């Protein structure tokens, strides 16, 4: 039975603009794989283009899943909110949250959607505005709760998880109060989507023949364990 792989991007296939040794050769040797990344700022086509450029092998966009695309798709498909206000990198399907605007007294039926890898304008003001929306009935969705992400110079900067935890600390709420669509939360729907993508490629094996490969225990390994996949932690990144 041929194996299938759910591959992290940063720290597993590439380190910023540098391919990790052996990663490109690996992609050319396997039949079934999907690249699954927690980015809240890039689409699958953007990630596929970046990987193709950096690695020197073509990575088709249909083999890439991003938390940004996944959260946006489910928000549109479920249609459960009267209003969706975005924080971070704006998504064209929704309206941005502007901290200067007055907050309605009743925010039930509103979702504040965090599309970010850590970049958020007017950080403190946006935390306060998000918390006010939630205090008045809104819910918070996030692409990930990663505490840190790598920068171009190899250093680390704060990730979207710092923003999420700041909002929750302001409100005295646990992390479980936020629905997280990427790897690392209790919602495993992005992993189920990864398996469906592998099935489209012809994979017919069981969950135990799916291998999650990544550089983080709290995201890549956690998702794999939640779905009964095999997991492999690499030390090339985080």
């Amino acid at each position: 039975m041929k194996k299938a792989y759910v591959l992290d991007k940063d720290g597993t296939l590439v380190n910023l603009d540098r391919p990790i040794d052996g990663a490109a050769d690996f992609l050319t040797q396997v039949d079934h794989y999907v690249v699954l990344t927690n980015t809240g700022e890039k689409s699958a086509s953007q990630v596929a283009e970046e990987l193709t450029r950096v690695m020197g092998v073509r990575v088709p966009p249909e083999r890439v899943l991003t938390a940004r695309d996944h959260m946006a798709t489910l928000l549109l498909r479920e249609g459960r909110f009267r209003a969706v206000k975005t924080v971070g990198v704006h998504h064209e399907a929704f309206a941005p949250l502007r901290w200067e605007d007055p907050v309605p007294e009743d925010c039930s039926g509103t979702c504040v959607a965090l599309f970010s890898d850590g970049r958020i304008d007017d950080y403190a003001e946006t935390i306060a505005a998000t918390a006010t929306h939630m205090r008045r009935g809104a819910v918070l969705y996030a692409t990930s709760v990663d505490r840190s992400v790598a920068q171009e110079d190899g250093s680390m900067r704060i990730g979207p998880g710092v923003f999420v935890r700041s909002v929750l600390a302001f409100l005295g709420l646990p992390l479980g109060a936020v629905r997280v669509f990427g790897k690392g939360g209790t919602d495993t729907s992005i992993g189920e989507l990864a398996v469906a993508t592998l099935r489209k490629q012809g994979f017919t094996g069981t969950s135990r023949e799916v291998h999650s490969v990544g550089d983080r225990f709290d995201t890549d390994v956690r998702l794999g364990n939640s779905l009964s996949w095999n997991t492999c932690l690499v030390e090339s990144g985080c």
Side-chain angles (χ1 to χ4, degrees):
M1 177 68 66
K2 292 181 178 179
K3 299 175 182 178
Y5 297 88
V6 178
L7 304 170
D8 180 43
K9 171 182 170 279
D10 296 306
T12 303
L13 297 176
V14 297
N15 272 329
L16 303 174
D17 277 340
R18 182 169 54 83
I20 289 175
D21 291 346
D25 288 340
F26 178 80
L27 291 186
T28 64
Q29 298 298 317
V30 297
D31 294 313
H32 310 302
Y33 77 86
V34 61
V35 178
L36 179 54
T37 171
N38 264 4
T39 181
E41 299 181 358
K42 298 176 183 177
S43 67
S45 59
Q46 289 173 311
V47 171
E49 181 180 352
E50 178 184 340
L51 285 172
T52 298
R53 173 180 57 82
V54 173
M55 300 183 71
V57 296
R58 182 174 181 271
V59 177
E62 60 268 21
R63 288 185 179 239
V64 176
L65 298 176
T66 73
R68 178 179 177 84
D69 289 346
H70 182 55
M71 187 167 82
T73 297
L74 288 188
L75 276 167
L76 293 168
R77 182 183 300 160
E78 291 177 352
R80 55 176 291 206
F81 298 108
R82 294 195 304 270
V84 176
K85 298 186 177 182
T86 62
V87 172
V89 177
H90 176 57
H91 194 289
E92 61 277 3
F94 311 107
L97 183 149
R98 304 184 192 280
W99 66 267
E100 319 96 294
D101 295 343
V103 181
E105 289 299 321
D106 181 10
C107 291
S108 58
T110 297
C111 175
V112 179
L114 176 63
F115 291 98
S116 175
D117 295 339
R119 292 189 298 169
I120 297 169
D121 294 333
D122 303 311
Y123 208 89
E125 294 86 350
T126 304
I127 288 173
T130 301
T132 301
H133 277 81
M134 294 179 69
R135 192 178 288 118
R136 297 181 183 182
V139 300
L140 178 60
Y141 280 9
T143 45
S144 88
V145 288
D146 292 351
R147 295 177 186 268
S148 62
V149 294
Q151 298 190 101
E152 293 300 321
D153 62 1
S155 64
M156 303 299 287
R157 63 177 169 86
I158 59 173
V162 176
F163 178 88
V164 170
R165 289 172 174 84
S166 297
V167 171
L168 296 178
F170 195 23
L171 296 171
L173 295 174
L175 189 58
V178 177
R179 185 176 177 186
V180 182
F181 287 80
K183 299 172 286 185
T186 57
D187 187 318
T188 59
S189 58
I190 197 167
E192 294 160 6
L193 180 60
V195 173
T197 303
L198 294 169
R199 299 289 185 210
K200 291 180 181 178
Q201 297 171 16
F203 174 65
T204 58
T206 67
S207 60
R208 296 302 299 172
E209 289 156 325
V210 177
H211 297 256
S212 175
V213 183
D215 66 330
R216 298 182 69 134
F217 275 115
D218 57 343
T219 58
D220 309 304
V221 173
R222 179 175 179 175
L223 179 66
N225 287 342
S226 297
L227 293 170
S228 299
W229 301 342
N230 284 301
T231 59
C232 175
L233 183 74
V234 296
E235 296 182 335
S236 48
C238 182

